[in-house]
Amino acid sequence: FIYILKLKEVEARATSVLCILPMVVTSGIFYYTNNYIDWKIGMLCAIGGIVGGIVGAKLLNKLPTHYLKIAFTLFLIYASLKMIWS
């Protein structure tokens, strides 16, 4: 979104989250109708996601973009190494 659509980084993050919403709703309905949801774990994760979303949105306005890029890069490296070693 930043490079192709020329959006600001904050707009790109917000737009990508909005783009995910229809997929989450659609797949959630499918999983619900097939009784695949563990409601206890799902609710705990949902609460964590709500809190994380609020904190993340507030930090997004306060942290310099440079630090966010570094944090995301480190996360991707960590996830990649974990996948390789699994």
Side-chain angles (χ1 to χ4, degrees):
F1 288 162
I2 295 168
Y3 301 111
I4 295 172
L5 301 176
K6 307 295 184 208
L7 292 177
K8 296 177 192 170
E9 292 194 26
V10 174
E11 292 174 333
R13 285 188 199 98
T15 304
S16 67
V17 169
L18 181 64
C19 290
I20 294 169
L21 183 62
M23 178 193 63
V24 170
V25 171
T26 304
S27 60
I29 291 169
F30 170 78
Y31 291 132
Y32 171 74
T33 58
N34 289 294
N35 295 320
Y36 291 142
I37 298 175
D38 182 322
W39 286 100
K40 181 181 177 188
I41 293 172
M43 287 298 152
L44 291 173
C45 289
I47 292 167
I50 291 168
V51 172
I54 292 168
V55 171
K58 295 212 182 270
L59 283 177
L60 187 62
N61 292 326
K62 296 182 187 219
L63 287 175
T65 305
H66 179 71
Y67 292 123
L68 295 171
K69 286 181 180 179
I70 291 171
F72 188 62
T73 301
L74 292 173
F75 170 74
L76 288 178
I77 291 169
Y78 168 76
S80 300
L81 293 173
K82 192 162 174 85
M83 290 172 113
I84 291 169
W85 289 327
S86 294

